[in-house]
Amino acid sequence: MNLHRMTRIALLTALSLILFVLEGFLPLPLPVPGAKLGLAAIVTLIALHLLPTRDAALMLTLRIFLASALGGGLAPMLYSLAGGAASFAAMVLLKKYTQLSIVGISAAGGFLHNMAQLLVAAAVMQTSALFSYAPVLGFVGILTGIGIGIAAQTILQKIYHNFAR
């Protein structure tokens, strides 16, 4: 791996980790315990558009492990890995095989992230009662995904505009 490639991955990993940590300080009145905006996903979407897929996946994986090391623990790491893997795989496929905008791709990613986390939580806690949260988590995932997608789209437009000069 060359220095330029490692530097881009490291910088984007650091940015996503900073957003993850800052989000922990936001008091959010979301209807489900543990629900978050997922601000670090802004960087994941940007990486998906600027880097090769394997580098974006590496950046996401590094962020999840580093965030878990900073205080998440094993259970949240499992939830994050499941949600991150499901949403990332779907976003890669949607980007490659559809004409969906980055906002649509992000909405699908947000939805699948929450559903994958719910599946893992139900398996870990050995209860199907958690599936009663699915409608709310699905809706919240789509809404936050739209917001994350708009933010990523705006940033990418600025990046492309500045480099086109």
Side-chain angles (χ1 to χ4, degrees):
M1 184 179 302
N2 69 36
L3 183 61
H4 183 70
R5 184 174 161 213
M6 281 192 307
T7 302
R8 280 197 291 184
I9 294 168
L11 285 172
L12 289 173
T13 301
L15 282 172
S16 67
L17 193 56
I18 289 167
L19 288 174
F20 171 82
V21 170
L22 289 176
E23 184 175 5
F25 293 111
L26 296 176
L28 298 174
L30 294 175
V32 179
K36 297 169 39 171
L37 292 175
L39 295 178
I42 295 169
V43 182
T44 304
L45 278 168
I46 291 169
L48 193 56
H49 281 76
L50 296 179
L51 302 178
T53 302
R54 69 174 187 257
D55 291 355
L58 176 59
M59 188 248 6
L60 173 62
T61 305
L62 287 169
R63 198 260 307 147
I64 290 170
F65 282 118
L66 290 169
S68 297
L70 289 175
L74 183 60
M77 182 178 67
L78 290 176
Y79 302 144
S80 293
L81 283 171
S87 63
F88 187 81
M91 291 189 300
V92 166
L93 292 172
L94 290 170
K95 181 178 181 283
K96 184 173 183 174
Y97 295 111
T98 72
Q99 296 297 315
L100 273 179
S101 71
I102 190 170
V103 176
I105 290 169
S106 180
F111 174 81
L112 289 171
H113 188 278
N114 284 357
M115 294 303 104
Q117 286 191 329
L118 185 61
L119 284 170
V120 170
V124 167
M125 296 179 183
Q126 298 179 350
T127 178
S128 61
L130 291 178
F131 292 122
S132 65
Y133 286 113
V136 174
L137 281 173
F139 183 70
V140 168
I142 291 169
L143 281 182
T144 57
I146 289 170
I148 295 300
I150 291 169
Q153 181 178 47
T154 302
I155 293 167
L156 282 168
Q157 287 171 345
K158 299 274 186 203
I159 290 170
Y160 292 139
H161 175 75
N162 287 334
F163 281 106
R165 290 185 198 193

